[in-house]
């Protein structure tokens, strides 16, 4: 992996996401209940606070949970819920150490089909089906990981130029399109709820 992503809208943070499989996974994990840029800047902030230029699953898995939560809570906090997200990041890293010897890229390297990759992603702590599909679409659209049937496995997120998720963000213009799509979806859900459907 060595591409430039534009998810954090911050050159240093985006550079890390493009070269570090673990940083990309952690950013995706953090991408909930906070603005996307804040979530995807998190891995870079964590690496800096650990005094490293990348994240290491073995190191994070072995951290004292209270100390790691404090690291994420330092101002500016890495997430709106730094304590619970610290726990989730450690669970993810412990899972990677246990199942993939700490190598995040081993989750997708050599996988034969999109369905198999979706299954592997959905098994990661903190990754439900939707998050797994979005990350699968990101891998296929921007990181060159394209096992047979990856678009189908990613569902609507795999559609070309769908602008539904982080998988389609390549700069400010596409970010605005994804934001507009999310606002439309929220408005539709609110309208459906109001009409009692």
């Amino acid at each position: 992996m060595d591409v430039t992503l534009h998810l954090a809208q911050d050159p240093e943070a985006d550079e890390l996401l493009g070269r570090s499989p673990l940083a990309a996974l952690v950013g995706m994990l953090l991408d909930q209940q906070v603005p996307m840029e804040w979530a995807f800047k998190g891995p870079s902030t964590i690496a800096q606070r650990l005094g490293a230029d990348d994240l290491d699953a073995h190191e994070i898995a072995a951290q004292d949970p209270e100390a790691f939560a404090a690291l994420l809570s330092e101002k500016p906090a890495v997430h709106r819920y730094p304590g619970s997200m610290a726990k989730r990041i450690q669970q993810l890293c412990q899972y990677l150490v246990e199942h993939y010897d700490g190598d995040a890229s081993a989750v997708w390297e050599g996988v034969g089909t999109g369905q198999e990759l979706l299954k592997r992603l959905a098994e990661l702590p903190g990754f439900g089906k939707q998050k797994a599909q979005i990350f699968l679409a990101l891998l296929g659209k921007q990181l060159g990981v394209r096992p047979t049937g990856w678009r189908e496995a990613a569902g609507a997120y795999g559609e070309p130029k769908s602008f539904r998720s982080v998988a389609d963000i390549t700069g400010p213009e596409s970010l605005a399109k994804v934001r507009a799509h999310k606002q439309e979806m929220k408005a539709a859900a609110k309208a459906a709820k109001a009409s009692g459907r």
Side-chain angles (χ1 to χ4, degrees), residues 92-157:
L92 173 65
C93 289
Q94 287 158 356
Y95 183 91
L96 291 171
V97 166
E98 202 176 304
H99 294 86
Y100 297 100
D101 195 29
D103 179 4
S105 66
V107 174
W108 53 84
E109 282 179 355
V111 174
T113 68
Q115 279 302 327
E116 184 186 345
L117 179 49
L118 180 63
K119 180 179 179 289
R120 284 185 175 196
L121 290 168
E123 288 170 350
L124 296 174
F127 278 66
K129 184 181 180 194
Q130 184 181 34
K131 197 175 280 281
Q133 284 186 311
I134 292 170
F135 195 78
L136 174 54
L138 177 65
L139 286 170
K141 290 180 174 183
Q142 296 198 48
L143 299 172
V145 177
R146 300 181 178 115
T148 306
W150 72 270
R151 280 194 191 275
E152 294 74 14
Y157 302 106

Side-chain angles (χ1 to χ4, degrees), residues 15-173:
E15 186 273 331
L16 176 62
L17 294 169
R19 70 175 160 82
S20 168
L22 180 55
L25 275 178
V26 169
M28 190 73 226
L29 181 67
L30 290 168
D31 189 21
Q32 57 191 39
Q33 300 176 306
V34 294
M36 179 208 66
E37 300 94 321
W38 185 4
F40 282 96
K41 190 172 181 180
S44 175
T45 304
I46 295 167
Q48 287 169 3
R49 290 178 185 175
L50 289 170
D53 66 354
D54 196 356
L55 300 180
D56 180 306
H58 291 276
E59 183 186 352
I60 292 172
Q63 288 275 326
D64 172 73
E66 286 183 20
F68 192 62
L71 183 106
L72 267 70
S73 300
E74 284 175 29
K75 301 233 181 294
V78 169
H79 193 274
R80 180 178 291 152
Y81 304 107
S84 63
M85 293 314 289
K87 186 176 179 181
R88 286 186 180 191
I89 292 168
Q90 282 197 290
Q91 288 169 339
L92 173 65
C93 289
Q94 287 158 356
Y95 183 91
L96 291 171
V97 166
E98 202 176 304
H99 294 86
Y100 297 100
D101 195 29
D103 179 4
S105 66
V107 174
W108 53 84
E109 282 179 355
V111 174
T113 68
Q115 279 302 327
E116 184 186 345
L117 179 49
L118 180 63
K119 180 179 179 289
R120 284 185 175 196
L121 290 168
E123 288 170 350
L124 296 174
F127 278 66
K129 184 181 180 194
Q130 184 181 34
K131 197 175 280 281
Q133 284 186 311
I134 292 170
F135 195 78
L136 174 54
L138 177 65
L139 286 170
K141 290 180 174 183
Q142 296 198 48
L143 299 172
V145 177
R146 300 181 178 115
T148 306
W150 72 270
R151 280 194 191 275
E152 294 74 14
Y157 302 106
E159 294 170 9
K161 297 185 172 128
S162 59
F163 300 106
R164 293 177 196 274
S165 72
V166 299
D168 297 294
I169 295 173
T170 55
E173 191 179 310

